[in-house]
mmCIF file of all heavy atoms in Angstrom:
data_model
loop_
_atom_site.group_PDB
_atom_site.id
_atom_site.type_symbol
_atom_site.label_atom_id
_atom_site.label_comp_id
_atom_site.label_asym_id
_atom_site.label_seq_id
_atom_site.Cartn_x
_atom_site.Cartn_y
_atom_site.Cartn_z
ATOM 1 N N ILE G 59 105.739 127.031 103.975
ATOM 2 C CA ILE G 59 105.027 127.826 105.018
ATOM 3 C C ILE G 59 105.094 126.841 106.330
ATOM 4 O O ILE G 59 105.282 127.288 107.507
ATOM 5 C CB ILE G 59 103.542 128.065 104.774
ATOM 6 C CG1 ILE G 59 103.505 129.137 103.597
ATOM 7 C CG2 ILE G 59 102.827 128.603 105.957
ATOM 8 C CD1 ILE G 59 102.116 129.402 103.055
ATOM 9 N N ALA G 60 104.809 125.577 106.141
ATOM 10 C CA ALA G 60 104.944 124.493 107.368
ATOM 11 C C ALA G 60 106.398 124.267 107.816
ATOM 12 O O ALA G 60 106.482 123.613 108.912
ATOM 13 C CB ALA G 60 104.171 123.304 106.972
ATOM 14 N N GLY G 61 107.319 124.749 107.119
ATOM 15 C CA GLY G 61 108.749 124.517 107.540
ATOM 16 C C GLY G 61 109.392 123.275 107.131
ATOM 17 O O GLY G 61 110.283 122.909 107.597
ATOM 18 N N MET G 62 108.640 122.553 106.224
ATOM 19 C CA MET G 62 109.234 121.308 105.755
ATOM 20 C C MET G 62 110.188 121.398 104.511
ATOM 21 O O MET G 62 111.007 120.546 104.399
ATOM 22 C CB MET G 62 108.038 120.392 105.308
ATOM 23 C CG MET G 62 106.897 120.313 106.054
ATOM 24 S SD MET G 62 107.192 119.710 107.779
ATOM 25 C CE MET G 62 107.540 118.005 107.414
ATOM 26 N N ARG G 75 104.060 136.310 114.875
ATOM 27 C CA ARG G 75 105.356 135.553 115.073
ATOM 28 C C ARG G 75 105.942 135.346 113.665
ATOM 29 O O ARG G 75 105.341 134.873 112.690
ATOM 30 C CB ARG G 75 105.212 134.108 115.579
ATOM 31 C CG ARG G 75 104.561 134.182 117.071
ATOM 32 C CD ARG G 75 104.530 132.685 117.511
ATOM 33 N NE ARG G 75 103.611 131.895 116.575
ATOM 34 C CZ ARG G 75 103.833 130.654 116.373
ATOM 35 N NH1 ARG G 75 104.946 129.979 116.746
ATOM 36 N NH2 ARG G 75 102.981 129.940 115.715
ATOM 37 N N LEU G 77 107.989 133.215 111.345
ATOM 38 C CA LEU G 77 108.365 131.742 111.239
ATOM 39 C C LEU G 77 109.549 131.535 110.436
ATOM 40 O O LEU G 77 110.395 130.846 110.795
ATOM 41 C CB LEU G 77 107.207 131.021 110.698
ATOM 42 C CG LEU G 77 106.009 131.089 111.532
ATOM 43 C CD1 LEU G 77 104.894 130.159 110.832
ATOM 44 C CD2 LEU G 77 106.029 130.733 112.967
ATOM 45 N N ALA G 86 114.401 130.557 111.279
ATOM 46 C CA ALA G 86 113.737 129.438 110.728
ATOM 47 C C ALA G 86 113.114 128.705 112.012
ATOM 48 O O ALA G 86 113.827 127.827 112.623
ATOM 49 C CB ALA G 86 114.675 128.559 110.027
ATOM 50 N N VAL G 87 111.853 129.010 112.393
ATOM 51 C CA VAL G 87 111.333 128.241 113.474
ATOM 52 C C VAL G 87 111.049 126.862 112.961
ATOM 53 O O VAL G 87 110.515 126.655 111.884
ATOM 54 C CB VAL G 87 109.932 129.005 113.756
ATOM 55 C CG1 VAL G 87 109.191 128.089 114.849
ATOM 56 C CG2 VAL G 87 110.200 130.490 114.189
ATOM 57 N N PRO G 88 111.408 125.785 113.726
ATOM 58 C CA PRO G 88 111.237 124.514 113.262
ATOM 59 C C PRO G 88 109.856 124.114 113.243
ATOM 60 O O PRO G 88 108.982 124.770 113.905
ATOM 61 C CB PRO G 88 112.044 123.613 114.357
ATOM 62 C CG PRO G 88 112.048 124.432 115.543
ATOM 63 C CD PRO G 88 112.119 125.924 115.044
ATOM 64 N N PRO G 89 109.486 123.072 112.396
ATOM 65 C CA PRO G 89 108.037 122.708 112.078
ATOM 66 C C PRO G 89 107.229 122.575 113.363
ATOM 67 O O PRO G 89 106.205 122.992 113.430
ATOM 68 C CB PRO G 89 108.089 121.457 111.243
ATOM 69 C CG PRO G 89 109.519 121.497 110.632
ATOM 70 C CD PRO G 89 110.357 122.281 111.568
ATOM 71 N N TRP G 90 107.896 121.885 114.357
ATOM 72 C CA TRP G 90 107.083 121.494 115.545
ATOM 73 C C TRP G 90 106.843 122.612 116.497
ATOM 74 O O TRP G 90 105.962 122.520 117.395
ATOM 75 C CB TRP G 90 107.848 120.372 116.346
ATOM 76 C CG TRP G 90 109.263 120.648 116.752
ATOM 77 C CD1 TRP G 90 109.637 121.296 117.892
ATOM 78 C CD2 TRP G 90 110.350 120.386 115.910
ATOM 79 N NE1 TRP G 90 111.064 121.395 117.794
ATOM 80 C CE2 TRP G 90 111.619 120.901 116.660
ATOM 81 C CE3 TRP G 90 110.717 119.882 114.610
ATOM 82 C CZ2 TRP G 90 112.920 120.707 116.227
ATOM 83 C CZ3 TRP G 90 111.960 119.820 114.249
ATOM 84 C CH2 TRP G 90 113.031 120.258 114.962
ATOM 85 N N GLN G 91 107.369 123.811 116.138
ATOM 86 C CA GLN G 91 107.053 125.021 116.953
ATOM 87 C C GLN G 91 106.240 125.962 116.190
ATOM 88 O O GLN G 91 105.849 127.165 116.681
ATOM 89 C CB GLN G 91 108.320 125.622 117.428
ATOM 90 C CG GLN G 91 109.057 124.930 118.568
ATOM 91 C CD GLN G 91 110.381 125.526 118.831
ATOM 92 O OE1 GLN G 91 110.809 126.316 118.240
ATOM 93 N NE2 GLN G 91 111.068 124.834 119.770
ATOM 94 N N ARG G 92 105.787 125.639 114.975
ATOM 95 C CA ARG G 92 105.185 126.640 114.110
ATOM 96 C C ARG G 92 103.671 126.750 114.438
ATOM 97 O O ARG G 92 102.975 127.645 114.220
ATOM 98 C CB ARG G 92 105.304 126.419 112.640
ATOM 99 C CG ARG G 92 106.825 126.580 112.261
ATOM 100 C CD ARG G 92 106.945 126.443 110.773
ATOM 101 N NE ARG G 92 108.219 126.829 110.353
ATOM 102 C CZ ARG G 92 108.565 127.691 109.393
ATOM 103 N NH1 ARG G 92 107.713 128.009 108.625
ATOM 104 N NH2 ARG G 92 109.846 127.967 109.253
ATOM 105 N N LYS G 93 103.005 125.708 114.875
ATOM 106 C CA LYS G 93 101.586 125.546 115.029
ATOM 107 C C LYS G 93 100.928 125.827 113.702
ATOM 108 O O LYS G 93 99.835 126.469 113.655
ATOM 109 C CB LYS G 93 101.174 126.578 116.087
ATOM 110 C CG LYS G 93 101.750 126.266 117.507
ATOM 111 C CD LYS G 93 101.092 127.111 118.652
ATOM 112 C CE LYS G 93 99.722 126.461 119.037
ATOM 113 N NZ LYS G 93 99.152 127.178 120.114
ATOM 114 N N VAL G 94 101.472 125.386 112.681
ATOM 115 C CA VAL G 94 100.895 125.358 111.315
ATOM 116 C C VAL G 94 100.357 123.961 111.105
ATOM 117 O O VAL G 94 101.164 123.088 111.198
ATOM 118 C CB VAL G 94 101.897 125.780 110.298
ATOM 119 C CG1 VAL G 94 101.319 125.576 108.852
ATOM 120 C CG2 VAL G 94 102.326 127.213 110.468
ATOM 121 N N GLY G 95 99.184 123.928 110.880
ATOM 122 C CA GLY G 95 98.661 122.493 110.646
ATOM 123 C C GLY G 95 98.571 122.270 109.153
ATOM 124 O O GLY G 95 98.116 123.017 108.305
ATOM 125 N N TYR G 115 96.817 112.649 119.051
ATOM 126 C CA TYR G 115 98.351 112.639 119.177
ATOM 127 C C TYR G 115 98.879 113.917 119.566
ATOM 128 O O TYR G 115 99.787 114.037 120.455
ATOM 129 C CB TYR G 115 98.891 112.264 117.648
ATOM 130 C CG TYR G 115 100.329 112.097 117.758
ATOM 131 C CD1 TYR G 115 100.873 110.752 117.953
ATOM 132 C CD2 TYR G 115 101.217 113.027 117.434
ATOM 133 C CE1 TYR G 115 102.234 110.496 117.910
ATOM 134 C CE2 TYR G 115 102.614 112.898 117.500
ATOM 135 C CZ TYR G 115 103.018 111.670 117.696
ATOM 136 O OH TYR G 115 104.336 111.479 117.808
ATOM 137 N N ALA G 116 98.420 115.016 118.895
ATOM 138 C CA ALA G 116 98.962 116.286 119.257
ATOM 139 C C ALA G 116 98.674 116.680 120.656
ATOM 140 O O ALA G 116 99.565 117.344 121.265
ATOM 141 C CB ALA G 116 98.500 117.330 118.149
ATOM 142 N N GLY G 119 100.922 114.856 123.077
ATOM 143 C CA GLY G 119 102.220 115.333 123.062
ATOM 144 C C GLY G 119 102.517 116.691 123.795
ATOM 145 O O GLY G 119 103.408 116.788 124.443
ATOM 146 N N ARG G 120 101.503 117.499 123.578
ATOM 147 C CA ARG G 120 101.640 118.833 124.226
ATOM 148 C C ARG G 120 101.504 118.720 125.690
ATOM 149 O O ARG G 120 102.215 119.411 126.519
ATOM 150 C CB ARG G 120 100.531 119.752 123.676
ATOM 151 C CG ARG G 120 100.853 121.121 123.700
ATOM 152 C CD ARG G 120 99.832 122.011 122.820
ATOM 153 N NE ARG G 120 99.934 121.626 121.427
ATOM 154 C CZ ARG G 120 98.973 121.824 120.580
ATOM 155 N NH1 ARG G 120 97.783 122.331 120.955
ATOM 156 N NH2 ARG G 120 99.101 121.508 119.365
ATOM 157 N N ALA G 189 94.378 119.258 116.611
ATOM 158 C CA ALA G 189 95.694 119.840 117.099
ATOM 159 C C ALA G 189 95.546 121.336 117.287
ATOM 160 O O ALA G 189 96.489 121.944 117.862
ATOM 161 C CB ALA G 189 96.742 119.590 116.034
ATOM 162 N N CYS G 191 95.788 124.212 115.440
ATOM 163 C CA CYS G 191 96.880 125.126 115.053
ATOM 164 C C CYS G 191 96.432 126.421 114.669
ATOM 165 O O CYS G 191 95.217 126.779 114.692
ATOM 166 C CB CYS G 191 97.452 124.407 113.694
ATOM 167 S SG CYS G 191 98.034 122.713 113.939
ATOM 168 N N GLU I 212 107.608 110.521 110.684
ATOM 169 C CA GLU I 212 108.206 111.272 111.485
ATOM 170 C C GLU I 212 107.959 112.855 111.269
ATOM 171 O O GLU I 212 107.940 113.656 112.097
ATOM 172 C CB GLU I 212 109.797 111.030 111.430
ATOM 173 C CG GLU I 212 110.188 109.619 111.983
ATOM 174 C CD GLU I 212 111.404 109.166 111.443
ATOM 175 O OE1 GLU I 212 112.098 109.814 110.560
ATOM 176 O OE2 GLU I 212 111.825 107.987 111.783
ATOM 177 N N GLN I 213 108.011 113.176 110.092
ATOM 178 C CA GLN I 213 107.651 114.521 109.632
ATOM 179 C C GLN I 213 106.165 114.852 110.134
ATOM 180 O O GLN I 213 105.889 115.967 110.571
ATOM 181 C CB GLN I 213 107.621 114.717 108.010
ATOM 182 C CG GLN I 213 108.953 114.747 107.445
ATOM 183 C CD GLN I 213 108.831 115.016 105.974
ATOM 184 O OE1 GLN I 213 107.794 115.184 105.419
ATOM 185 N NE2 GLN I 213 109.964 115.149 105.335
ATOM 186 N N GLN I 214 105.419 113.962 109.966
ATOM 187 C CA GLN I 214 103.990 114.115 110.425
ATOM 188 C C GLN I 214 103.912 114.392 111.946
ATOM 189 O O GLN I 214 103.289 115.345 112.396
ATOM 190 C CB GLN I 214 103.217 112.898 110.138
ATOM 191 C CG GLN I 214 101.562 112.977 110.444
ATOM 192 C CD GLN I 214 100.991 114.000 109.443
ATOM 193 O OE1 GLN I 214 101.172 113.957 108.292
ATOM 194 N NE2 GLN I 214 100.412 115.043 110.072
ATOM 195 N N ALA I 215 104.850 113.658 112.650
ATOM 196 C CA ALA I 215 104.824 113.919 114.055
ATOM 197 C C ALA I 215 105.380 115.220 114.371
ATOM 198 O O ALA I 215 104.922 116.071 115.193
ATOM 199 C CB ALA I 215 105.774 112.933 114.788
ATOM 200 N N ALA I 216 106.247 115.755 113.578
ATOM 201 C CA ALA I 216 106.864 117.121 113.763
ATOM 202 C C ALA I 216 105.705 118.061 113.543
ATOM 203 O O ALA I 216 105.619 119.154 114.199
ATOM 204 C CB ALA I 216 108.051 117.367 112.833
ATOM 205 N N LEU I 217 104.990 117.937 112.411
ATOM 206 C CA LEU I 217 103.945 118.797 112.093
ATOM 207 C C LEU I 217 102.856 118.854 113.168
ATOM 208 O O LEU I 217 102.225 119.974 113.344
ATOM 209 C CB LEU I 217 103.167 118.382 110.767
ATOM 210 C CG LEU I 217 103.970 118.822 109.508
ATOM 211 C CD1 LEU I 217 103.315 117.983 108.398
ATOM 212 C CD2 LEU I 217 104.060 120.161 109.353
ATOM 213 N N LEU I 218 102.796 117.783 113.992
ATOM 214 C CA LEU I 218 101.787 117.758 115.069
ATOM 215 C C LEU I 218 102.481 118.295 116.410
ATOM 216 O O LEU I 218 101.792 118.007 117.352
ATOM 217 C CB LEU I 218 101.184 116.346 115.172
ATOM 218 C CG LEU I 218 100.212 116.042 114.064
ATOM 219 C CD1 LEU I 218 99.872 114.433 114.005
ATOM 220 C CD2 LEU I 218 99.008 116.763 114.027
ATOM 221 N N GLY I 219 103.598 118.803 116.332
ATOM 222 C CA GLY I 219 104.268 119.468 117.487
ATOM 223 C C GLY I 219 105.281 118.699 118.181
ATOM 224 O O GLY I 219 105.760 119.137 119.240
ATOM 225 N N ASP I 220 105.775 117.469 117.607
ATOM 226 C CA ASP I 220 106.703 116.829 118.380
ATOM 227 C C ASP I 220 108.197 117.235 117.978
ATOM 228 O O ASP I 220 108.478 117.183 116.659
ATOM 229 C CB ASP I 220 106.629 115.349 117.984
ATOM 230 C CG ASP I 220 105.574 114.724 119.035
ATOM 231 O OD1 ASP I 220 105.017 115.330 119.875
ATOM 232 O OD2 ASP I 220 105.299 113.512 118.817
ATOM 233 N N PRO I 221 108.977 117.654 118.754
ATOM 234 C CA PRO I 221 110.396 117.809 118.413
ATOM 235 C C PRO I 221 110.996 116.374 118.082
ATOM 236 O O PRO I 221 110.438 115.450 118.441
ATOM 237 C CB PRO I 221 111.067 118.497 119.758
ATOM 238 C CG PRO I 221 109.901 118.711 120.599
ATOM 239 C CD PRO I 221 108.723 117.942 120.215
ATOM 240 N N PRO I 222 112.148 116.500 117.414
ATOM 241 C CA PRO I 222 112.671 115.186 116.865
ATOM 242 C C PRO I 222 112.869 114.246 118.006
ATOM 243 O O PRO I 222 112.605 112.908 117.597
ATOM 244 C CB PRO I 222 114.127 115.657 116.357
ATOM 245 C CG PRO I 222 114.002 117.079 116.008
ATOM 246 C CD PRO I 222 113.029 117.621 116.985
ATOM 247 N N ARG I 223 113.324 114.423 119.176
ATOM 248 C CA ARG I 223 113.541 113.453 120.103
ATOM 249 C C ARG I 223 112.163 112.820 120.512
ATOM 250 O O ARG I 223 112.095 111.639 120.689
ATOM 251 C CB ARG I 223 114.268 114.058 121.255
ATOM 252 C CG ARG I 223 115.784 114.178 120.931
ATOM 253 C CD ARG I 223 116.558 114.775 122.092
ATOM 254 N NE ARG I 223 116.519 113.935 123.267
ATOM 255 C CZ ARG I 223 117.129 114.120 124.314
ATOM 256 N NH1 ARG I 223 117.985 115.083 124.375
ATOM 257 N NH2 ARG I 223 117.140 113.477 125.422
ATOM 258 N N ARG I 224 111.168 113.619 120.603
ATOM 259 C CA ARG I 224 109.943 113.036 121.044
ATOM 260 C C ARG I 224 109.353 112.313 119.963
ATOM 261 O O ARG I 224 108.735 111.234 120.071
ATOM 262 C CB ARG I 224 109.054 114.231 121.405
ATOM 263 C CG ARG I 224 107.741 113.765 122.239
ATOM 264 C CD ARG I 224 107.208 114.841 123.129
ATOM 265 N NE ARG I 224 106.557 115.837 122.404
ATOM 266 C CZ ARG I 224 106.309 117.138 122.821
ATOM 267 N NH1 ARG I 224 106.740 117.462 124.053
ATOM 268 N NH2 ARG I 224 105.724 117.934 122.228
ATOM 269 N N ALA I 225 109.486 112.724 118.676
ATOM 270 C CA ALA I 225 109.025 111.926 117.552
ATOM 271 C C ALA I 225 109.716 110.640 117.498
ATOM 272 O O ALA I 225 109.104 109.616 117.242
ATOM 273 C CB ALA I 225 109.238 112.675 116.246
ATOM 274 N N PHE I 226 111.075 110.676 117.773
ATOM 275 C CA PHE I 226 111.766 109.389 117.835
ATOM 276 C C PHE I 226 111.278 108.516 118.734
ATOM 277 O O PHE I 226 111.039 107.284 118.559
ATOM 278 C CB PHE I 226 113.253 109.761 118.159
ATOM 279 C CG PHE I 226 114.236 108.655 118.028
ATOM 280 C CD1 PHE I 226 114.579 108.069 116.878
ATOM 281 C CD2 PHE I 226 114.638 108.011 119.282
ATOM 282 C CE1 PHE I 226 115.371 106.911 116.942
ATOM 283 C CE2 PHE I 226 115.593 106.971 119.209
ATOM 284 C CZ PHE I 226 115.859 106.303 117.999
ATOM 285 N N ARG I 228 108.101 108.541 120.184
ATOM 286 C CA ARG I 228 106.649 108.163 119.996
ATOM 287 C C ARG I 228 106.366 107.504 118.705
ATOM 288 O O ARG I 228 105.292 106.912 118.638
ATOM 289 C CB ARG I 228 105.812 109.488 120.127
ATOM 290 C CG ARG I 228 105.883 110.133 121.396
ATOM 291 C CD ARG I 228 105.043 111.389 121.411
ATOM 292 N NE ARG I 228 103.618 111.143 121.501
ATOM 293 C CZ ARG I 228 102.641 111.867 121.204
ATOM 294 N NH1 ARG I 228 103.023 113.278 121.060
ATOM 295 N NH2 ARG I 228 101.389 111.663 121.238
#
Side-chain angles (χ1 to χ4, degrees):
Chain G
I59 295 172
M62 314 300 292
R75 292 183 299 145
L77 298 184
V87 175
W90 54 92
Q91 288 169 359
R92 291 194 171 216
K93 300 191 79 179
V94 170
Y115 188 89
R120 210 167 290 158
C191 298
Chain I
E212 291 159 356
Q213 285 187 358
Q214 188 65 57
L217 284 169
L218 290 168
D220 275 358
R223 285 177 60 174
R224 197 153 71 201
F226 183 73
R228 294 181 74 190

